[in-house]
Amino acid sequence: MTPKKIQLPYVAFPTTAEMVSEPLGVVLIFSSWNFPIGLCLEPMIGAIASGNTLVLKTSELAPASSSLLANLIPMYLDNKAIKVIEGGVSIAEQLLEKKWDKIFFTGSPRVGRLVMAAAAKHLTPVILELGGKCPAVVDSLETAMDRKIAVKRILGGKFGCCCGQACIGIDYILVEKKFAPILVDCLKARIKKMFGENPRETNSIARIINKQHFLRLKSLLNEDEVKASIVYGGSIDEDNRFIEPTILLDPPLNADIMNEEIFGPLLPIITLKNIEESTQFINSRPKPLAIYAFTNNEALKENMVSKTSSGCLLFNDTIVQYFVDTIPFGGVGESGFGRYHGKFSFEAFRHEKPVIRRGFMPDIWFRYPPWNSKKMQFLRSGLVYNYFGFVCVMLGLKKS
């Protein structure tokens, strides 16, 4: 790449500086099971375009996609530069024992901690794309049209995307208590229009990825107080790993469903006295990957921007993917760190190296020991660009 010139402050001797961009070396990419093609290829494209070689570890939880990538990538890309590795946990552990120039991981915070701990042994930099509990703040929308559009976008972002099995999916809703009945009624009606009276038969909603995740979601619902808070849905089919889109109103805040990332078709609604309390509620919990806010209130929007922290903040929609090719995307805090997508994927796998060039002459004699008061006066004047003082010291007009 063409080096980028750096404008230096005025110095008394000829010096130039530039930024040289260089590849990192050999990188390791762990892809996820919920978007096993897209979330594999996007960081891979950035790594390759940046001039790196890489090893891609596909997810064993999506075996068909893993097999497809393992067979196709060597057919079309340089097998000396790109290796696809399949396998389970033991293979991943063996890979993490090696030294890499960067590790890119998409997955859960629990596994992210293990990846980071392994990387620390070699001081390997990491990008962690994790998740967390992403809230949707729903203001008391005044018009029927605003409510209709907001509800469609909430349900599409929650249930339409892998049945809630997405890191950027809505995890729970915050709403004013007085507006909650209206919102619940709108959600119920729209779920029936989107997924039919019997969602199990309409093939409009995905199944849970495997038995383990199904049982985890089932256990979230099985707590007595949680089960009592269900206001819509709740039916399950263990044989087919199907869970009906389910709405819960004010489940206990200390329940697992409000403390673990749900990653499934369960949507808790938490009521607040007033919507302004939403920022305090969000800030009392780990920083989310995304915050969604449906409101026309400019003051509330400004509060959300200035008083909350998240990987991204989106007003009046839920589909972050529409925008991520032009803006950086990544988490903060426990939702991850590092960013990619579009040109930022390219930048994520490169190192910006400053290069400074100067000649041997002139050589400044007072920069070297042994020190004395005159040398210190020269240095003090030079460091703050006090050229008048510098000349005074040189002419002996400034005493120590």
Side-chain angles (χ1 to χ4, degrees):
M1 292 184 65
T2 304
K4 293 182 284 188
K5 297 293 184 182
I6 301 174
Q7 185 66 42
L8 294 173
Y10 174 75
V11 290
F13 42 82
T15 304
T16 62
E18 60 197 22
M19 293 295 290
V20 175
S21 181
E22 61 185 18
L24 296 175
V26 184
V27 302
L28 173 63
I29 297 175
F30 288 98
S31 67
S32 65
W33 54 261
N34 54 345
F35 296 93
I37 304 295
L39 293 186
C40 155
L41 295 181
E42 182 124 24
M44 191 179 82
I45 290 168
I48 295 170
S50 296
N52 301 278
T53 58
L54 67 92
V55 170
L56 171 66
K57 167 62 178 71
T58 55
S59 174
E60 72 279 10
L61 299 182
S65 297
S66 176
S67 177
L68 179 72
L69 292 167
N71 289 321
L72 288 183
I73 287 177
M75 292 172 59
Y76 296 97
L77 299 176
D78 185 356
N79 198 36
K80 295 180 181 179
I82 303 159
K83 295 288 186 182
V84 181
I85 304 294
E86 295 188 276
V89 174
S90 63
I91 297 297
E93 290 174 343
Q94 291 177 55
L95 289 171
L96 287 171
E97 291 174 0
K98 307 297 182 182
K99 180 174 173 57
W100 307 91
D101 294 297
K102 195 159 198 175
I103 297 175
F104 185 103
F105 171 79
T106 303
S108 70
R110 181 186 66 82
V111 180
R113 288 183 174 91
L114 299 176
V115 171
M116 193 171 178
K121 296 176 183 177
H122 302 289
L123 295 180
T124 300
V126 297
I127 292 178
L128 299 181
E129 293 293 333
L130 307 178
K133 297 184 73 64
C134 301
V137 178
V138 182
D139 200 0
S140 300
L141 302 171
E142 295 181 358
T143 70
M145 181 57 70
D146 285 350
R147 291 196 291 268
K148 177 181 177 181
I149 293 173
V151 165
K152 286 197 297 183
R153 291 176 179 176
I154 288 168
L155 294 176
K158 174 62 176 180
F159 302 119
C161 191
C162 288
C163 191
Q165 298 170 99
C167 59
I168 56 172
I170 294 173
D171 194 275
Y172 64 94
I173 290 175
L174 296 174
V175 66
E176 285 188 354
K177 197 173 191 68
K178 63 183 180 182
F179 187 66
I182 298 172
L183 178 62
V184 169
D185 288 343
C186 291
L187 289 169
K188 289 178 179 179
R190 183 54 56 177
I191 286 175
K192 291 179 181 178
K193 288 185 178 182
M194 281 187 170
F195 304 110
E197 292 289 342
N198 187 354
R200 189 181 321 181
E201 305 298 331
T202 60
N203 292 323
S204 295
I205 190 165
R207 271 43 178 175
I208 307 305
I209 181 68
N210 58 30
K211 188 72 171 286
Q212 176 186 347
H213 282 281
F214 179 90
L215 294 176
R216 178 186 60 81
L217 290 166
K218 182 180 176 181
S219 72
L220 294 180
L221 282 179
N222 276 345
E223 294 184 43
D224 290 338
E225 290 183 87
V226 172
K227 191 178 295 185
S229 70
I230 295 175
V231 293
Y232 184 86
S235 67
I236 62 175
D237 178 355
E238 189 165 333
D239 292 336
N240 292 298
R241 303 194 310 277
F242 171 82
I243 299 179
E244 182 183 9
T246 300
I247 300 172
L248 307 95
L249 185 61
D250 282 325
L253 296 182
N254 60 355
D256 288 343
I257 198 170
M258 286 307 300
N259 290 281
E260 296 179 10
E261 184 178 10
I262 295 173
F263 228 68
L266 314 178
L267 182 58
I269 297 175
I270 304 301
T271 60
L272 306 170
K273 185 177 180 180
N274 59 72
I275 202 63
E276 286 73 23
E277 295 176 5
S278 58
T279 56
Q280 182 180 352
F281 188 96
I282 292 169
N283 290 337
S284 69
R285 292 165 175 263
K287 296 177 181 180
L289 183 59
I291 297 175
Y292 306 101
F294 293 84
T295 181
N296 293 314
N297 185 331
E298 294 302 321
L300 179 60
K301 289 180 182 179
E302 183 56 36
N303 275 345
M304 298 300 298
V305 171
S306 62
K307 295 182 180 180
T308 65
S309 178
S310 58
C312 68
L313 171 59
L314 180 56
F315 290 109
N316 300 324
D317 209 338
T318 56
I319 306 299
V320 178
Q321 295 99 312
Y322 287 165
F323 313 104
V324 292
D325 285 338
T326 54
I327 60 175
F329 182 77
V332 61
E334 291 188 27
S335 60
F337 46 80
R339 61 185 191 173
Y340 77 122
H341 285 304
K343 78 182 186 74
F344 303 97
S345 296
F346 179 85
E347 294 173 356
F349 294 101
R350 289 190 77 84
H351 169 62
E352 295 285 322
K353 178 174 65 179
V355 178
I356 303 167
R357 306 176 191 273
R358 66 156 300 193
F360 288 104
M361 297 299 289
D363 191 38
I364 302 173
W365 60 270
F366 55 81
R367 63 185 277 192
Y368 308 112
W371 307 115
N372 57 42
S373 61
K374 190 171 185 178
K375 285 185 177 181
M376 295 306 294
Q377 284 183 319
F378 274 125
L379 288 172
R380 289 191 187 99
S381 298
L383 288 173
V384 297
Y385 304 107
N386 180 4
Y387 298 115
F388 178 76
F390 191 90
V391 172
C392 288
V393 175
M394 185 179 294
L395 296 176
L397 300 177
K398 191 172 183 179
K399 303 296 182 181
S400 60

mmCIF file of all heavy atoms in Angstrom, residues 111-138:
data_model
loop_
_atom_site.group_PDB
_atom_site.id
_atom_site.type_symbol
_atom_site.label_atom_id
_atom_site.label_comp_id
_atom_site.label_asym_id
_atom_site.label_seq_id
_atom_site.Cartn_x
_atom_site.Cartn_y
_atom_site.Cartn_z
ATOM 1 N N VAL A 111 -17.170 -18.713 26.142
ATOM 2 C CA VAL A 111 -16.071 -19.249 25.330
ATOM 3 C C VAL A 111 -15.079 -18.133 24.992
ATOM 4 O O VAL A 111 -13.874 -18.368 24.892
ATOM 5 C CB VAL A 111 -16.612 -19.916 24.053
ATOM 6 C CG1 VAL A 111 -15.475 -20.471 23.205
ATOM 7 C CG2 VAL A 111 -17.590 -21.027 24.409
ATOM 8 N N GLY A 112 -15.579 -16.918 24.845
ATOM 9 C CA GLY A 112 -14.690 -15.788 24.581
ATOM 10 C C GLY A 112 -13.644 -15.616 25.667
ATOM 11 O O GLY A 112 -12.480 -15.291 25.393
ATOM 12 N N ARG A 113 -14.028 -15.837 26.906
ATOM 13 C CA ARG A 113 -13.067 -15.759 28.016
ATOM 14 C C ARG A 113 -11.980 -16.828 27.873
ATOM 15 O O ARG A 113 -10.798 -16.577 28.165
ATOM 16 C CB ARG A 113 -13.794 -15.916 29.356
ATOM 17 C CG ARG A 113 -14.642 -14.714 29.742
ATOM 18 C CD ARG A 113 -15.266 -14.906 31.121
ATOM 19 N NE ARG A 113 -15.963 -13.707 31.547
ATOM 20 C CZ ARG A 113 -17.247 -13.450 31.318
ATOM 21 N NH1 ARG A 113 -17.974 -14.339 30.646
ATOM 22 N NH2 ARG A 113 -17.798 -12.335 31.738
ATOM 23 N N LEU A 114 -12.369 -18.020 27.439
ATOM 24 C CA LEU A 114 -11.392 -19.094 27.251
ATOM 25 C C LEU A 114 -10.422 -18.763 26.127
ATOM 26 O O LEU A 114 -9.215 -19.005 26.234
ATOM 27 C CB LEU A 114 -12.115 -20.416 26.953
ATOM 28 C CG LEU A 114 -13.069 -20.933 28.040
ATOM 29 C CD1 LEU A 114 -13.785 -22.191 27.556
ATOM 30 C CD2 LEU A 114 -12.306 -21.217 29.333
ATOM 31 N N VAL A 115 -10.946 -18.189 25.045
ATOM 32 C CA VAL A 115 -10.101 -17.793 23.918
ATOM 33 C C VAL A 115 -9.117 -16.714 24.353
ATOM 34 O O VAL A 115 -7.918 -16.777 24.048
ATOM 35 C CB VAL A 115 -10.973 -17.289 22.747
ATOM 36 C CG1 VAL A 115 -10.113 -16.662 21.653
ATOM 37 C CG2 VAL A 115 -11.802 -18.433 22.173
ATOM 38 N N MET A 116 -9.613 -15.741 25.088
ATOM 39 C CA MET A 116 -8.749 -14.643 25.539
ATOM 40 C C MET A 116 -7.675 -15.135 26.501
ATOM 41 O O MET A 116 -6.519 -14.690 26.452
ATOM 42 C CB MET A 116 -9.606 -13.560 26.187
ATOM 43 C CG MET A 116 -8.880 -12.255 26.418
ATOM 44 S SD MET A 116 -10.017 -10.971 26.939
ATOM 45 C CE MET A 116 -8.860 -9.622 27.169
ATOM 46 N N ALA A 117 -8.042 -16.058 27.386
ATOM 47 C CA ALA A 117 -7.064 -16.614 28.327
ATOM 48 C C ALA A 117 -5.969 -17.367 27.587
ATOM 49 O O ALA A 117 -4.776 -17.268 27.927
ATOM 50 C CB ALA A 117 -7.760 -17.528 29.324
ATOM 51 N N ALA A 118 -6.346 -18.131 26.556
ATOM 52 C CA ALA A 118 -5.354 -18.866 25.775
ATOM 53 C C ALA A 118 -4.458 -17.904 24.992
ATOM 54 O O ALA A 118 -3.247 -18.103 24.894
ATOM 55 C CB ALA A 118 -6.052 -19.837 24.828
ATOM 56 N N ALA A 119 -5.058 -16.851 24.441
ATOM 57 C CA ALA A 119 -4.284 -15.871 23.677
ATOM 58 C C ALA A 119 -3.286 -15.134 24.558
ATOM 59 O O ALA A 119 -2.200 -14.746 24.106
ATOM 60 C CB ALA A 119 -5.227 -14.880 23.002
ATOM 61 N N ALA A 120 -3.637 -14.935 25.817
ATOM 62 C CA ALA A 120 -2.769 -14.195 26.738
ATOM 63 C C ALA A 120 -1.427 -14.893 26.947
ATOM 64 O O ALA A 120 -0.418 -14.234 27.231
ATOM 65 C CB ALA A 120 -3.479 -14.002 28.076
ATOM 66 N N LYS A 121 -1.388 -16.207 26.794
ATOM 67 C CA LYS A 121 -0.129 -16.948 26.983
ATOM 68 C C LYS A 121 0.931 -16.495 25.986
ATOM 69 O O LYS A 121 2.126 -16.533 26.273
ATOM 70 C CB LYS A 121 -0.381 -18.447 26.837
ATOM 71 C CG LYS A 121 -1.299 -19.027 27.909
ATOM 72 C CD LYS A 121 -1.588 -20.499 27.643
ATOM 73 C CE LYS A 121 -2.567 -21.061 28.661
ATOM 74 N NZ LYS A 121 -2.922 -22.472 28.369
ATOM 75 N N HIS A 122 0.495 -16.080 24.799
ATOM 76 C CA HIS A 122 1.420 -15.627 23.761
ATOM 77 C C HIS A 122 1.305 -14.124 23.514
ATOM 78 O O HIS A 122 1.902 -13.616 22.563
ATOM 79 C CB HIS A 122 1.150 -16.375 22.450
ATOM 80 C CG HIS A 122 1.261 -17.859 22.552
ATOM 81 N ND1 HIS A 122 2.475 -18.499 22.719
ATOM 82 C CD2 HIS A 122 0.318 -18.836 22.525
ATOM 83 C CE1 HIS A 122 2.276 -19.814 22.775
ATOM 84 N NE2 HIS A 122 0.975 -20.045 22.664
ATOM 85 N N LEU A 123 0.519 -13.427 24.350
ATOM 86 C CA LEU A 123 0.244 -12.002 24.149
ATOM 87 C C LEU A 123 -0.301 -11.737 22.748
ATOM 88 O O LEU A 123 0.053 -10.761 22.085
ATOM 89 C CB LEU A 123 1.497 -11.163 24.402
ATOM 90 C CG LEU A 123 2.048 -11.170 25.837
ATOM 91 C CD1 LEU A 123 3.284 -10.301 25.941
ATOM 92 C CD2 LEU A 123 0.988 -10.692 26.821
ATOM 93 N N THR A 124 -1.166 -12.623 22.300
ATOM 94 C CA THR A 124 -1.781 -12.494 20.980
ATOM 95 C C THR A 124 -2.978 -11.551 21.048
ATOM 96 O O THR A 124 -3.865 -11.743 21.874
ATOM 97 C CB THR A 124 -2.251 -13.868 20.467
ATOM 98 O OG1 THR A 124 -1.130 -14.742 20.383
ATOM 99 C CG2 THR A 124 -2.898 -13.739 19.096
ATOM 100 N N PRO A 125 -3.031 -10.537 20.186
ATOM 101 C CA PRO A 125 -4.211 -9.658 20.170
ATOM 102 C C PRO A 125 -5.438 -10.406 19.665
ATOM 103 O O PRO A 125 -5.325 -11.314 18.825
ATOM 104 C CB PRO A 125 -3.815 -8.532 19.215
ATOM 105 C CG PRO A 125 -2.760 -9.128 18.339
ATOM 106 C CD PRO A 125 -2.030 -10.127 19.192
ATOM 107 N N VAL A 126 -6.600 -10.049 20.174
ATOM 108 C CA VAL A 126 -7.833 -10.737 19.805
ATOM 109 C C VAL A 126 -8.920 -9.733 19.447
ATOM 110 O O VAL A 126 -8.917 -8.593 19.916
ATOM 111 C CB VAL A 126 -8.351 -11.652 20.950
ATOM 112 C CG1 VAL A 126 -7.364 -12.751 21.246
ATOM 113 C CG2 VAL A 126 -8.643 -10.845 22.198
ATOM 114 N N ILE A 127 -9.812 -10.171 18.588
ATOM 115 C CA ILE A 127 -11.095 -9.493 18.363
ATOM 116 C C ILE A 127 -12.166 -10.458 18.841
ATOM 117 O O ILE A 127 -12.228 -11.600 18.379
ATOM 118 C CB ILE A 127 -11.315 -9.138 16.886
ATOM 119 C CG1 ILE A 127 -10.324 -8.061 16.440
ATOM 120 C CG2 ILE A 127 -12.749 -8.648 16.663
ATOM 121 C CD1 ILE A 127 -10.450 -7.683 14.979
ATOM 122 N N LEU A 128 -12.977 -10.024 19.778
ATOM 123 C CA LEU A 128 -14.056 -10.854 20.311
ATOM 124 C C LEU A 128 -15.393 -10.262 19.918
ATOM 125 O O LEU A 128 -15.733 -9.141 20.328
ATOM 126 C CB LEU A 128 -13.956 -10.949 21.843
ATOM 127 C CG LEU A 128 -12.679 -11.577 22.420
ATOM 128 C CD1 LEU A 128 -12.754 -11.610 23.941
ATOM 129 C CD2 LEU A 128 -12.461 -12.975 21.868
ATOM 130 N N GLU A 129 -16.133 -10.976 19.103
ATOM 131 C CA GLU A 129 -17.499 -10.587 18.732
ATOM 132 C C GLU A 129 -18.439 -11.456 19.558
ATOM 133 O O GLU A 129 -18.675 -12.616 19.228
ATOM 134 C CB GLU A 129 -17.731 -10.783 17.235
ATOM 135 C CG GLU A 129 -16.920 -9.848 16.360
ATOM 136 C CD GLU A 129 -17.335 -8.397 16.508
ATOM 137 O OE1 GLU A 129 -18.522 -8.148 16.845
ATOM 138 O OE2 GLU A 129 -16.500 -7.506 16.286
ATOM 139 N N LEU A 130 -18.960 -10.918 20.636
ATOM 140 C CA LEU A 130 -19.725 -11.712 21.591
ATOM 141 C C LEU A 130 -21.217 -11.390 21.500
ATOM 142 O O LEU A 130 -21.831 -11.597 20.485
ATOM 143 C CB LEU A 130 -19.152 -11.491 22.996
ATOM 144 C CG LEU A 130 -17.632 -11.731 23.098
ATOM 145 C CD1 LEU A 130 -17.123 -11.456 24.502
ATOM 146 C CD2 LEU A 130 -17.267 -13.133 22.658
ATOM 147 N N GLY A 131 -21.799 -10.872 22.532
ATOM 148 C CA GLY A 131 -23.240 -10.627 22.482
ATOM 149 C C GLY A 131 -23.697 -9.969 23.756
ATOM 150 O O GLY A 131 -23.261 -8.888 24.112
ATOM 151 N N GLY A 132 -24.550 -10.636 24.476
ATOM 152 C CA GLY A 132 -25.102 -10.069 25.699
ATOM 153 C C GLY A 132 -26.590 -9.842 25.578
ATOM 154 O O GLY A 132 -27.234 -10.265 24.619
ATOM 155 N N LYS A 133 -27.128 -9.145 26.552
ATOM 156 C CA LYS A 133 -28.575 -8.925 26.589
ATOM 157 C C LYS A 133 -28.885 -7.563 25.978
ATOM 158 O O LYS A 133 -28.735 -6.510 26.614
ATOM 159 C CB LYS A 133 -29.086 -9.021 28.027
ATOM 160 C CG LYS A 133 -28.880 -10.411 28.627
ATOM 161 C CD LYS A 133 -29.476 -10.543 30.020
ATOM 162 C CE LYS A 133 -30.992 -10.605 30.016
ATOM 163 N NZ LYS A 133 -31.516 -11.804 29.317
ATOM 164 N N CYS A 134 -29.297 -7.584 24.715
ATOM 165 C CA CYS A 134 -29.566 -6.351 23.973
ATOM 166 C C CYS A 134 -30.999 -5.880 24.236
ATOM 167 O O CYS A 134 -31.956 -6.580 23.889
ATOM 168 C CB CYS A 134 -29.371 -6.579 22.480
ATOM 169 S SG CYS A 134 -27.712 -7.126 22.032
ATOM 170 N N PRO A 135 -31.175 -4.700 24.820
ATOM 171 C CA PRO A 135 -32.522 -4.223 25.131
ATOM 172 C C PRO A 135 -33.147 -3.439 23.971
ATOM 173 O O PRO A 135 -32.446 -2.858 23.144
ATOM 174 C CB PRO A 135 -32.284 -3.297 26.329
ATOM 175 C CG PRO A 135 -30.919 -2.738 26.070
ATOM 176 C CD PRO A 135 -30.135 -3.817 25.372
ATOM 177 N N ALA A 136 -34.468 -3.427 23.945
ATOM 178 C CA ALA A 136 -35.229 -2.531 23.072
ATOM 179 C C ALA A 136 -36.057 -1.621 23.973
ATOM 180 O O ALA A 136 -36.881 -2.105 24.752
ATOM 181 C CB ALA A 136 -36.125 -3.311 22.126
ATOM 182 N N VAL A 137 -35.814 -0.331 23.889
ATOM 183 C CA VAL A 137 -36.566 0.651 24.661
ATOM 184 C C VAL A 137 -37.725 1.122 23.790
ATOM 185 O O VAL A 137 -37.506 1.640 22.688
ATOM 186 C CB VAL A 137 -35.666 1.832 25.059
ATOM 187 C CG1 VAL A 137 -36.461 2.883 25.815
ATOM 188 C CG2 VAL A 137 -34.493 1.343 25.909
ATOM 189 N N VAL A 138 -38.954 0.930 24.274
ATOM 190 C CA VAL A 138 -40.131 1.294 23.482
ATOM 191 C C VAL A 138 -40.876 2.404 24.203
ATOM 192 O O VAL A 138 -41.445 2.203 25.284
ATOM 193 C CB VAL A 138 -41.058 0.081 23.254
ATOM 194 C CG1 VAL A 138 -42.243 0.482 22.387
ATOM 195 C CG2 VAL A 138 -40.281 -1.065 22.603
#
